Amino acid sequence: AVRPLAHSPACPPARLRVSSRTRAAHTRAMASVAMRASASASAASAPRRSAARGANVFVLNTPAGGHAVVGFHLASQLRAAGHGVTLMVPCAADSDKMLKPPFNRFAELEAAGVECVYGDAGAIADAVGGKKFDVVVDNNGKALDTVQPVADWAVAQGAAQFLYVSSAGIYKPSVTPPHVEGDPVKASASHVAVEEYLAAAPIAESIFRPQYITGSGNNKDCEEWFFDRIVRGRPVPIPGDGMAVTNVAQVEDMARMITLAVDNPAAHGGLFNCVGDRGVTMDGLVELCAAAAGKSMDEVEIVHYDPDEVGVEGKKAFPFRYTYHFFSEPRAAVAKLGMTYERPLGEALAARYAEYAASGRAEADLSAKFELDDKILDALNVAA
């Protein structure tokens, strides 16, 4: 059930009544299997290479934020592809951050032969004991002052290739979506200065621009925002008309794309949108998440609203960009790296819901998370 965009809080549309009945939930056993298999599934999707030809790869992985899960799956796939892998997190090994996903699953990587180290990003040589690397991946820095020292160290110690995880958020809004490699970017974005520095550096560089991410081990809400409301029978407030298109990539695909670039001359000097092969609308995300949770759209209510009219800041009330079509296509990776896609987004979300249900979050008290929702619904005279 979809509630159309309200143009005036004083004149809300008639409410659509829906059933609170749910279909059978995914079992916790299924979720447990999915979590145990996630690292091996990621590894299975990696390109296979001879260990004798494998490169020695260093991955600097952010200690927080949505990109952290990329480094986890990348390390797994690189190792499965026959590369030597050292994964460094720029923080202390006993940091509280290491108690959260994906860091609390690093034992899976170590069991696969990945070396995990910790320390100051400005002193990588000390953290790795002077070890040398053929390829360096920076999945940490967002600005030149943090990435330049890593790139300079990579060059000085003899690396032949530098891969940088940037952001598709640097693209300027376009009236002719989707965003493709080479489209105009915001000069003020910090990632732009990094990309320009790397392009001039004496090393073969490749740039990867991700958008939104879903996948096992993710510690930043994406599909969880929708699950939180759907499983509780709450209306799902979507700003605008729900037709804005975005891109939610599966982290396994993102890791595979980067793995395909390692020791690959076709990737040298390349710019790659590290995204899925299909866009999805905001209302479409609700529908896919509802199906993942075992519900039909007859059991879910979408409420469209104008943030200005209901008195909320859109970016605080909703975790996605919605004022324009913010989605990219992976054209360069398909053409240059032979990137392919197999699992539909809906199947990935079903696996994520199994983990969500097993985590106990579906039964947790999340009333504080719904304060802005309640403000929106109150302005529209819609009961939560």
Side-chain angles (χ1 to χ4, degrees), residues 61-64 68 88-106 117-118 219:
N61 200 45
T62 178
M88 176 177 171
V89 183
C91 70
D94 59 357
S95 168
D96 288 344
K97 295 178 180 179
M98 299 301 100
L99 301 176
K100 302 177 181 179
F103 311 106
N104 60 1
R105 295 174 56 185
F106 274 17
V117 299
Y118 306 83
N219 62 18

Side-chain angles (χ1 to χ4, degrees), residues 212-300:
Y212 300 110
I213 306 169
T214 183
S216 183
N218 196 7
N219 62 18
K220 185 175 182 179
D221 281 2
C222 179
E223 62 279 354
E224 293 88 350
W225 188 93
F226 298 93
F227 291 154
D228 286 343
R229 289 149 181 82
I230 290 169
V231 300
R232 291 170 176 79
R234 292 181 60 92
V236 183
I238 302 294
D241 63 3
M243 295 306 293
V245 180
T246 193
N247 190 301
V248 178
Q250 300 175 47
V251 69
E252 296 88 351
D253 288 335
M254 300 171 68
R256 184 155 55 90
M257 183 186 295
I258 300 173
T259 298
L260 284 168
V262 169
D263 202 20
N264 183 352
H268 294 178
L271 172 63
F272 303 96
N273 287 335
C274 196
V275 296
D277 63 336
R278 287 178 177 268
V280 60
T281 65
M282 300 304 159
D283 280 5
L285 278 173
V286 179
E287 185 172 343
L288 290 176
C289 287
K295 291 193 176 187
S296 73
M297 286 307 293
D298 290 336
E299 300 173 281
V300 178

Side-chain angles (χ1 to χ4, degrees), residues 169-172 184-194 196:
I170 68 176
Y171 284 117
K172 291 181 178 179
V185 296
K186 307 167 188 172
S188 61
S190 61
H191 296 86
V192 173
V194 175
E196 292 175 345

Side-chain angles (χ1 to χ4, degrees), residues 103-121:
F103 311 106
N104 60 1
R105 295 174 56 185
F106 274 17
E108 298 173 32
L109 298 180
E110 293 172 335
V114 175
E115 180 181 7
C116 298
V117 299
Y118 306 83
D120 185 346

Side-chain angles (χ1 to χ4, degrees), residues 42 45-47 70 73-74 77-78 161 163 165 181 206-210 247 249-264 267 270-277 328-341:
S42 184
S45 66
V70 176
H73 285 269
L74 175 60
Q77 292 199 23
L78 286 170
Q161 189 178 22
L163 311 182
V165 181
E181 295 88 350
S206 300
I207 307 298
F208 296 86
R209 293 176 177 170
N247 190 301
Q250 300 175 47
V251 69
E252 296 88 351
D253 288 335
M254 300 171 68
R256 184 155 55 90
M257 183 186 295
I258 300 173
T259 298
L260 284 168
V262 169
D263 202 20
N264 183 352
L271 172 63
F272 303 96
N273 287 335
C274 196
V275 296
D277 63 336
S328 307
E329 282 190 349
R331 295 185 185 180
V334 171
K336 297 180 180 181
L337 305 180
M339 181 67 188
T340 58
Y341 296 83

Side-chain angles (χ1 to χ4, degrees), residues 337-358:
L337 305 180
M339 181 67 188
T340 58
Y341 296 83
E342 299 177 3
R343 184 173 65 169
L345 179 59
E347 291 183 12
L349 292 174
R352 288 296 289 148
Y353 180 75
E355 294 185 9
Y356 173 91

